[in-house]
Amino acid sequence: MKNKFRKNLLIAAAVIMVIFSATIGNGKAYEVNKSEKLPTKANAAGIETAEGVIESDGDMIYGDVDLGLDSSATLTDAELAELSTAEIREAATEEVEEYTEPDILDTMTLEEKVAQMFIITPEALTDSDGVTMAGEQTKAAIDETPVGGIIYMGDNLQAKTQVQEMLSNTNRYSEERVGLPMFLCVDEEGGSVARVAGSGRFDVKNVGNMSDIGAQGSVQDAKEAGETIGSYLSELGFNVDFAPVADVLTNPDNSIVKTRSFGSDSDKVSDMSIAMADGLKEEGLEAVYKHFPGHGATAGDTHLGAAFTDKTADELSMSELVPFQDAINDGANFIMVSHISAPGITGHDTPASLSEILVNDILRSRMGYDGIVITDAMEMGAISKKYTSDEAACLAIKAGVDIILMPEDFHLAYNGVLDAVRSGEISEERINQSVARILKVKQEIE
C-alpha cells in the first residue's frame, strides 16, 4: 500500500508539472542553461515506448519549474523506472483537458474534429486544378469536410485583390461551418522560398535569404525581415507562415537549407529565429518553426526520399535542438517536424514525423512542448514512397502529431484516420488532445 501511494504521488507530481507548463504559455517559465542546452530535473536509464527504449543522456522530462514541492518529490532514477510514459501521458491528458475549451470541443462530431487535423491545398479540398478563387465549390467542400487549414502555393496567388477575396471567403466559410477561423497558410521564408515576394506579381519586398542575414546582419535585421513578411501577408489575409527555418547548418554538404538557414552557430540561429517569429507575430501571423529535429545535419533531400542524421540525442541537444528548445521556452505555438530519420536515437529509419520517440518522448516530454506539432508535407518522397496516405496519417497521430500537412491523397488519409478511431486503433481521447491544441490557437487568432 505504501509503495502504491508513493507511485501515485509521483504520477501526481509529474502531472502537476505538465499542467503548470501548459498553463503558463507552452513552457515560458523554463530556465534554460545554455551550457546544458536542455532543462534537467532527474535522470533515467531509459524510457520505454511503443518503438523501443530511448536511452537517456541525463536530461529529463520536465524543466526546472518551482512548484513549491519538497525536493523529495523529485523523480529519481529508480522511481522513474516504475512509471511508464504511458501512465504519465494518460494522467496528464485527463487533467490538461480541464484547461481546454470544452464547449466547442464537446459539440464537434468526430468527423469535424478529424478534419481540423488536416491542412491541405485548395486543389485537394475541391478536387480541382489551379484554384484561384473561393466560391460555391469551396464552400460545399468545407461544408462537407471542414479542414483545419489551407496552404496556398505560388500558382494560387495571382494578384492582391484576388488573394484577399479568396482568403476572406475561405475563412468565412469555415466560420459559418464550425465557428472557427481557417488556418490560412503559406511558405514565405524570404529569399528562394517566397510564394508571394518571389512571384513578381506583388509589389512587396523580398527580404532575401536567411543565410545572408545570418552572415552579415543582426538580430534586429531578422526581426525586421519578419515584420516585413508579416505586414504584406497580413494585408493579403494570411494568418500562418511556415517560417522561420530554425535548422542549424551543421553539415556543410547540406543543400536543402543551405541558404534558408541563419547559419551553423546554434545560438545565432536560435536568436534570429525567435526574432523573425516575433516580427511575424507583431503583424498578426502565427510562426511555424521548422524542421525539427534539424534538417541542417542531413545530406539527403526528403522531397525525393530518405534523409538521415546519425547524431545521438546528446549531440543534437548541443546544437540542432537548441533553437527549438528556445522557441518552446519563448512560447511557440507551432513546430513543424520533418521526415528525416534519426537512427542514432530511434534505432531504425522511421521518419521523425512518424516517430513516437522523437515527437512524444523528445519534443513533448523531454523538451516540454505542448503546442501544435505539424508534419512537413506528407506528399514528399520520404513518406509517399514508403507509406500509403492513410497509413502515414495514422502513424503520425499515434506518434503525437496534431496536424497532417498535404497528404498525397487527402480523402484516403482523412477516412483512414476516421476508420482507425472507429475501430479503436486510435482513441477519440487522442484526437481530442490534438483538437484542443488547435482550438486554443484558433481562439487567439483575430
Side-chain angles (χ1 to χ4, degrees):
M1 180 65 71
K2 182 178 179 181
N3 289 338
K4 183 177 180 180
F5 175 79
R6 177 60 174 167
K7 180 178 179 180
N8 289 339
L9 179 61
L10 292 172
I11 293 176
V15 171
I16 291 170
M17 293 178 188
V18 174
I19 296 168
F20 188 85
S21 66
T23 58
I24 59 174
N26 296 331
K28 285 185 180 178
Y30 290 111
E31 294 296 328
V32 177
N33 183 334
K34 287 276 187 173
S35 66
E36 295 178 353
K37 303 302 180 188
L38 288 174
T40 61
K41 179 159 287 291
N43 302 324
I47 301 173
E48 185 177 357
T49 72
E51 296 181 11
V53 175
I54 175 171
E55 296 297 325
S56 168
D57 59 0
D59 294 322
M60 201 38 232
I61 297 175
Y62 305 107
D64 292 328
V65 179
D66 182 7
L67 301 176
L69 298 176
D70 185 84
S71 60
S72 62
T74 300
L75 306 182
T76 66
D77 291 353
E79 290 167 339
L80 185 67
E82 297 177 4
L83 304 178
S84 70
T85 52
E87 285 181 290
I88 294 176
R89 288 179 196 142
E90 182 179 359
T93 299
E94 292 174 356
E95 296 295 335
V96 169
E97 284 176 354
E98 296 181 8
Y99 294 88
T100 65
E101 295 288 341
D103 291 343
I104 297 177
L105 188 61
D106 290 348
T107 61
M108 297 176 74
T109 65
L110 173 63
E111 291 77 10
E112 290 168 344
K113 287 187 284 191
V114 171
Q116 286 292 304
M117 296 176 68
F118 285 88
I119 291 179
I120 59 176
T121 65
E123 288 79 11
L125 176 69
T126 59
D127 293 315
S128 56
D129 297 327
V131 175
T132 57
M133 63 176 291
E136 289 303 314
Q137 191 173 356
T138 299
K139 184 180 187 304
I142 291 173
D143 284 345
E144 181 177 354
T145 315
V147 295
I150 305 292
I151 179 170
Y152 297 89
M153 301 299 175
D155 289 343
N156 303 127
L157 313 174
Q158 295 295 317
K160 180 178 178 179
T161 55
Q162 169 261 327
V163 174
Q164 289 173 330
E165 183 177 355
M166 178 173 64
L167 270 57
S168 176
N169 286 348
T170 301
N171 199 57
R172 176 164 53 85
Y173 300 149
S174 178
E175 292 273 10
E176 292 171 351
R177 175 62 177 83
V178 287
L180 295 168
M182 185 77 76
F183 285 143
L184 300 167
C185 315
V186 67
D187 268 318
E188 193 76 7
E189 302 170 5
S192 60
V193 180
R195 312 299 185 198
V196 176
S199 69
R201 305 185 193 105
F202 300 85
D203 185 20
V204 298
K205 176 185 177 182
N206 190 329
V207 299
N209 290 319
M210 297 304 103
S211 58
D212 293 333
I213 294 177
Q216 304 168 10
S218 64
V219 171
Q220 182 60 32
D221 291 327
K223 183 176 182 181
E224 289 175 1
E227 290 172 342
T228 297
I229 293 172
S231 177
Y232 64 73
L233 289 185
S234 179
E235 186 177 6
L236 290 171
F238 290 101
N239 53 33
V240 177
D241 185 15
F242 290 156
V245 174
D247 298 312
V248 182
L249 191 64
T250 56
N251 185 344
D253 295 327
N254 182 292
S255 60
I256 306 308
V257 296
K258 188 170 186 177
T259 61
R260 300 161 63 193
S261 165
F262 287 107
S264 59
D265 182 291
S266 60
D267 289 331
K268 175 185 284 188
V269 172
S270 178
D271 292 342
M272 288 193 167
S273 294
I274 289 175
M276 185 180 187
D278 285 345
L280 290 168
K281 292 174 192 174
E282 288 184 7
E283 298 296 331
L285 271 291
E286 287 288 341
V288 180
Y289 292 84
K290 60 186 186 183
H291 309 80
F292 179 88
H295 220 311
T298 68
D301 184 352
T302 51
H303 291 85
L304 306 176
F308 300 85
T309 175
D310 291 324
K311 290 192 174 186
T312 65
D314 274 351
E315 291 168 334
L316 286 175
S317 72
M318 296 303 294
S319 184
E320 284 83 0
L321 296 185
V322 172
F324 295 102
Q325 182 66 71
D326 289 349
I328 291 167
N329 297 344
D330 192 57
N333 280 332
F334 282 90
I335 289 180
M336 178 182 287
V337 61
S338 69
H339 304 316
I340 69 171
S341 301
I345 298 174
T346 64
H348 43 72
D349 64 353
T350 301
S353 54
L354 311 184
S355 170
E356 184 179 7
I357 290 176
L358 287 164
V359 177
N360 256 333
D361 297 327
I362 297 291
L363 180 56
R364 290 213 187 279
S365 295
R366 177 175 167 176
M367 298 175 69
Y369 181 61
D370 194 38
I372 293 173
V373 174
I374 181 173
T375 69
D376 206 342
M378 298 290 264
E379 65 180 11
M380 292 163 63
I383 299 297
S384 61
K385 288 183 178 180
K386 188 174 180 180
Y387 306 91
T388 61
S389 294
D390 53 342
E391 181 183 17
C394 289
L395 287 171
I397 292 170
K398 290 177 184 178
V401 164
D402 302 304
I403 294 179
I404 309 298
L405 175 65
M406 295 172 60
E408 185 177 40
D409 185 328
F410 164 60
H411 297 292
L412 180 61
Y414 170 69
N415 287 308
V417 175
L418 285 176
D419 289 344
V421 177
R422 289 165 180 158
S423 70
E425 180 185 347
I426 297 174
S427 71
E428 189 162 356
E429 288 73 22
R430 170 66 193 88
I431 299 299
N432 290 344
Q433 240 184 334
S434 288
V435 178
R437 294 186 182 106
I438 293 166
L439 294 180
K440 178 178 180 294
V441 175
K442 286 198 169 189
Q443 289 163 349
E444 295 173 358
I445 293 176
E446 296 180 0

